[in-house]
């Protein structure tokens, strides 16, 4: 547990150039592996993220920045279910190319635009978006607090942050079983299907280094967000976090 009065993001973040290289190498198999390795539970997690966004309320003309958008699954969910415009942003070109292809195939070009940008230096004016969503991306930021500050900046007053991220199961036996699968089984399947070993060794190590649910809540609060909370999904394998920018 961390001291809430002295929140720090001292955990070393991953090297951004290496993250870009790794995700570029698996972009062609990323969707297949997501669904295969999670037994398609990742689809349910994204639906719950959009449910949380919907519960915050929205109006026609509201926009969402889907940060670290990858191949666009969360962006597509937001556009399809909420009917608002989405800007899908990622700094990995091969991942973004896959997203553009999927959006075109589903006929969502008018609702989803794309921009290649770094989450640590966003090319947007202050107070631009009603929502910022991040699906499985915050743990990959080289500087977590800097990324959260950028999100805070581009959100409009009363804007809402929604983060979906892998987390730490809280039930001991389930945690041990999941740790075995995550550390021993998943990397082997991931390497076999994707044809590259590194990214699926990186995945469990990056989750293991990331903050616990309650610690991450405090870090979000330290940036200035209010009404911050979280909800475990599937026993804590993943968690939804949220916060609001004060009006």
């Amino acid at each position: 547990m961390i001291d809430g009065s002295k929140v720090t993001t001292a955990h070393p973040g991953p090297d951004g150039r290496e993250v870009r290289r790794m995700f570029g190498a698996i972009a062609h198999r990323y969707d297949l592996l997501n669904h295969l390795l999670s037994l398609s539970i990742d689809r349910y997690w994204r639906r719950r993220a959009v449910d949380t966004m919907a519960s915050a309320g929205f109006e026609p003309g509201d926009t969402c920045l889907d940060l670290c958008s990858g191949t666009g699954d969360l962006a597509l969910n937001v556009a399809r279910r909420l009917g608002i415009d989405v800007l899908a942003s990622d700094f990995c070109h091969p991942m973004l190319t896959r997203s553009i292809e999927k959006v075109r195939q589903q006929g969502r070009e008018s609702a989803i635009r794309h921009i290649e940008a770094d989450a640590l230096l966003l090319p947007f004016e202050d107070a631009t978006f009603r929502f910022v969503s991040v699906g499985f991306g915050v743990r990959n930021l080289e500087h977590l607090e800097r990324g959260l500050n950028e999100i805070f900046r581009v959100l409009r007053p009363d804007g809402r942050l929604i983060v979906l991220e892998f987390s730490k199961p809280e039930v001991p036996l389930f945690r041990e079983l999941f740790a075995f699968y995550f550390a021993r089984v998943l990397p082997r399947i991931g390497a076999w299907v994707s044809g590259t070993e590194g990214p699926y060794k990186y995945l469990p190590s990056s989750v293991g280094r990331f903050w616990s649910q309650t610690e991450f809540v405090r870090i979000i609060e330290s940036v200035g967000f209010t009404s911050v909370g979280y909800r475990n999904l599937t026993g804590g394998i993943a968690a939804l976090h949220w916060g609001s920018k004060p009006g």
Side-chain angles (χ1 to χ4, degrees):
M1 190 68 68
I2 60 176
D3 181 352
S5 65
K6 297 181 179 179
V7 176
T8 174
T9 55
H11 288 188
D15 182 273
R17 292 167 298 182
E18 182 63 13
V19 169
R20 183 188 287 112
R21 185 198 64 78
M22 283 191 300
F23 280 96
I26 61 172
H28 65 300
R29 289 287 186 267
Y30 185 77
D31 291 331
L32 170 64
L33 281 163
N34 272 354
H35 305 325
L36 174 65
L37 295 173
S38 72
L39 304 178
S40 285
I41 297 172
D42 63 306
R43 301 178 193 269
Y44 162 73
W45 294 338
R46 290 186 182 90
R47 289 198 300 269
R48 292 301 300 273
V50 178
D51 289 343
T52 301
M53 295 174 68
S55 69
F58 59 95
E59 299 175 355
D62 284 346
T63 55
C64 173
L65 171 64
D66 187 43
L67 204 57
C68 307
S69 191
T71 61
D73 276 351
L74 186 53
L76 282 161
N77 268 270
V78 173
R80 182 170 57 246
R81 296 184 56 210
L82 300 190
I84 64 175
D85 288 344
V86 182
L87 183 58
S89 173
D90 203 287
F91 77 160
C92 178
H93 186 77
M95 297 285 278
L96 210 58
T97 298
R98 289 284 301 140
S99 179
I100 292 168
E101 292 173 358
K102 287 164 64 177
V103 167
R104 185 181 300 117
Q105 289 168 3
Q106 297 189 29
R108 294 279 173 179
E109 299 99 319
S110 63
I112 302 175
R113 295 177 295 124
H114 294 82
I115 184 169
E116 190 168 336
D118 192 327
L120 305 185
L121 189 63
L122 294 172
F124 310 118
E125 298 291 334
D126 295 355
T128 298
F129 301 98
R130 169 71 176 97
F131 295 104
V132 174
S133 58
V134 192
F136 306 110
V138 291
R139 79 181 187 286
N140 298 320
L141 296 180
E142 192 165 359
H143 301 284
L144 176 59
E145 190 172 29
R146 182 175 165 188
L148 290 172
N149 273 298
E150 276 292 88
I151 291 170
F152 190 87
R153 179 183 67 79
V154 302
L155 274 171
R156 74 187 201 197
D158 294 322
R160 191 79 160 165
L161 165 67
I162 305 292
V163 174
L164 173 61
E165 187 54 88
F166 287 114
S167 198
K168 297 175 173 64
E170 295 180 338
V171 177
L173 179 59
F174 184 59
R175 182 170 60 240
E176 291 170 11
L177 289 171
F178 177 69
F180 177 81
Y181 170 75
F182 216 45
R184 302 293 182 85
V185 179
L186 180 148
R188 293 183 181 182
I189 298 174
W192 176 62
V193 175
S194 69
T196 183
E197 188 174 76
Y200 289 93
K201 284 187 175 181
Y202 164 79
L203 175 58
S205 66
S206 67
V207 174
R209 289 194 305 268
F210 195 65
W211 302 97
S212 72
Q213 293 91 317
T214 54
E215 290 169 336
F216 188 41
V217 162
R218 295 182 186 183
I219 292 170
I220 296 171
E221 289 175 334
S222 76
V223 172
F225 286 96
T226 58
S227 302
V228 179
Y230 79 92
R231 178 185 302 117
N232 282 330
L233 303 175
T234 317
I237 293 177
L240 274 171
H241 287 79
W242 58 82
S244 296
K245 181 174 179 177

